[in-house]
Amino acid sequence: MNGRGQLHFHTRASALLLLVLCCAALCWGQQDAVEQKLPVSERQFQSAMALRNKRGASTKDLRHAAALLIASAGVKLPPSLNVTAEAMSNISTDAANSQYSSGLQFVGQTNVPALKELARVYEAGEGVAVDAAIAHDLFKRAAELGDPDAQADMAVRYSLGLQPTSSNEDMLYELTTPNTPEALLNYFFAAAGNDTFAQMAMGYRHMYGVDVPQSCQAGLLYYNPVAERVVEAARYPGSLPQVERVRLNYKSAGMRRPSREQEVLHYQWFADLGSVEAQRAVGQIFSHGALRNPEQALRYFRQAADGGDADAVAHLGHMYANGVGVDQNNETASQLFQAAADAGNPNGQFGLGYMHLTGHGMEQNHRAAFKLFQRASEAGNAEAWFHMGVMYLNGWGVKPSQRHALDCFTVSAQVGHVLGMYNLAIMHLNGRAGLAAADAKASCQPALALLKKIAEKGGWGGLVQQGYEAFMDGDYEPALLHYLQSAEMGSELGQSNAAWMLTHGYGYEGEHAAQLAITLYQQAAAQGNHEALLQIGDSYYYGRGVPTDWSHAAQVYAEASKHRVAQASHNLGFMHEYGAGLPQDLHLAKRYYDKALEAQPDAFVPVFLALCGLWLHSWWLSVKPYVPDRLGFVKQRLFVLPQAEQGIVQKFGGDTGHVQSALGVLDRVIDWVTDFGAVAHLITDQAELCLLLGCGAGLWLVLQRRRRLRINQQAQVDTRTHVGAPLQDEQPQS
């Protein structure tokens, strides 16, 4: 290149560089100008969020973020709680006691997102001392300014009567009298603002008529947009939360579960030793949920596939078909699905059928796809059932049939397939479910129930999982709060577990705990939880949260007994035995005790003891009239009831002599053993049950041996008497 060419080249390069620098300066200036146009509060909020979202944010970063949020929200704290960035370093976690009157003042322009974020900061104690009162007032202020999220949060607090505590430093919140009108007002406006939590809460309330008119159509309007969001998320594998639907009881309260990381390590240990089943299990764990790791899932699936596991081969096919952890490759996916299908794996059969249906990686063939779906559905594959329904609905490869489509969607819905449930709900709403077109109510109810189930599968349904994890970690107050929030959304499991915690003193013990517990049990029972009926009956029997009413308790127990609740049948037998709230009838008592054993065969021990007590009770009633008056203390202590009301027993013709202020010693033992809840683990634990039966058998053998010895001794005495001298009653023979 000559000198003129070199000069021309350098000149062009310099001009190009100058142009790039000018463009960069111009862009920088425009960005700076845009930032300058933003309000100061918005810039402070963005800076605070950048610090809070910073990976590995330090305590100093969190304190600085809190100070920026305070400034952005326009909040003025009381002098005792001045949390500037400089003063925060001197605040301990116990510096601010939770008091309902936080003393906050709102000055200047308020940034609503900053208000909400600051409320979460004070709830979690991130960079500041935990203060539930300040968080409460911040959420309240944001709700007043029209934020749907804050309105939903305040609605929960008003509905439950949840207020920051002012007396117990160990608790952040306490239960007070609910404010239902304020709760409904906040729920309504939050739902109108498209808040998912509020929409589910209002949908549930209209579905069951909880403080609002019962209306299936109104419930549909609230649940449908939430269900549509869940359906959209369900199209992407692993997007929905994995929820352990565990019901709290005595047994779960006494055990501690390993963390998910520990469970994974346990499976990984076996997988690394060459266990094909463990390799596939670890691959599935890394494919879904919070521990999702596509690269690790791919590694373990490949190991299991090399070991001949057909299901792992099918999983690899899905990863290649969707490009998860590897580059998307339909040809490789088809080969893997074919290998798994040839081995009879339903997951592989479905995958290969889907490739035929869509024409990905092979020629489109609807008939072949339908046949493969049929083979997979025979093994219970939910995806295959759903796609068969779609093919019947559209006439792809088969003759169109709404009836067959309905059947396929029904089967897939029964195993929890989200898209299957949604399509089934739409068919009900459109009158295509075999019901009369004019019967709108008959179509609305099943559709609403399906949409509710779909809505509860969304990410917000993870509140139940968070509650369970907090409970197992021993953090009872956060667990109770999570369950209560889930209960407000209409989750039956959340209602049952929150009620159980309140009944047994986990997370909160206070004046309103029993009243809220029975309300939650009633809501759970309305959703089909028959065990909740037992708890309602107990509340009326013992007067927990409601006035004592044995007659009403008996009615609730009878309803639960119809649904084969063993403890309810036992309680009815007990009430008939003593004439408590029911006519005294020992024959009916035995029938109910037997019914309890039929409903729960592993309750043999407590039912056997109850029947023994009933036999002794019957014997006592037959001999009691002949007991001398000087043994009146015995008559007053055997087979009596605690805190009974004379009027209740007299009303049904019971013997008032059996009703005193103390429980007989024998029945104390029987009542303790027949407490199905307190000794559920004793009844169901086969090892301990065998031990009890062994001890009982040994005792029976000892008693039989002693009886036989007494009979032999008596026979020897009689023999000696006859040999030695005639009896006085005998006359000498003439």
Side-chain angles (χ1 to χ4, degrees), residues 58-115:
S58 64
T59 304
K60 183 178 180 181
D61 292 332
L62 295 177
R63 290 170 180 168
H64 189 200
L68 289 170
L69 288 173
I70 290 171
S72 176
V75 174
K76 183 179 180 181
L77 297 175
S80 60
L81 291 176
N82 189 11
V83 285
T84 61
E86 294 78 11
M88 283 182 198
S89 58
N90 298 322
I91 296 180
S92 64
T93 56
D94 298 326
N97 293 330
S98 294
Q99 298 179 356
Y100 177 64
S101 179
S102 63
L104 286 180
Q105 295 181 11
F106 299 96
V107 295
Q109 186 177 4
T110 300
N111 186 295
V112 176
L115 273 177

Side-chain angles (χ1 to χ4, degrees), residues 492-568:
E492 181 275 319
L493 183 61
Q495 292 166 350
S496 300
N497 285 351
W500 188 89
M501 291 186 69
L502 289 169
T503 301
H504 297 88
Y506 287 94
Y508 181 77
E509 291 180 296
E511 177 184 357
H512 297 271
Q515 185 176 358
L516 179 57
I518 191 173
T519 300
L520 292 169
Y521 276 132
Q522 288 170 341
Q523 294 174 354
Q527 296 198 64
N529 183 351
H530 305 309
E531 292 289 341
L533 291 170
L534 173 66
Q535 302 298 330
I536 298 171
D538 288 346
S539 297
Y540 280 102
Y541 187 90
Y542 295 107
R544 294 194 300 244
V546 291
T548 301
D549 188 341
W550 286 2
S551 299
H552 190 72
Q555 295 175 9
V556 179
Y557 286 146
E559 182 65 24
S561 179
K562 293 178 183 178
H563 299 285
R564 298 181 61 82
V565 179
Q567 180 68 65

Side-chain angles (χ1 to χ4, degrees), residues 469-486:
E469 291 176 355
F471 181 86
M472 298 308 295
D473 291 338
D475 299 328
Y476 297 128
E477 186 180 19
L480 178 60
L481 292 175
H482 287 311
Y483 280 132
L484 287 173
Q485 289 176 323
S486 179

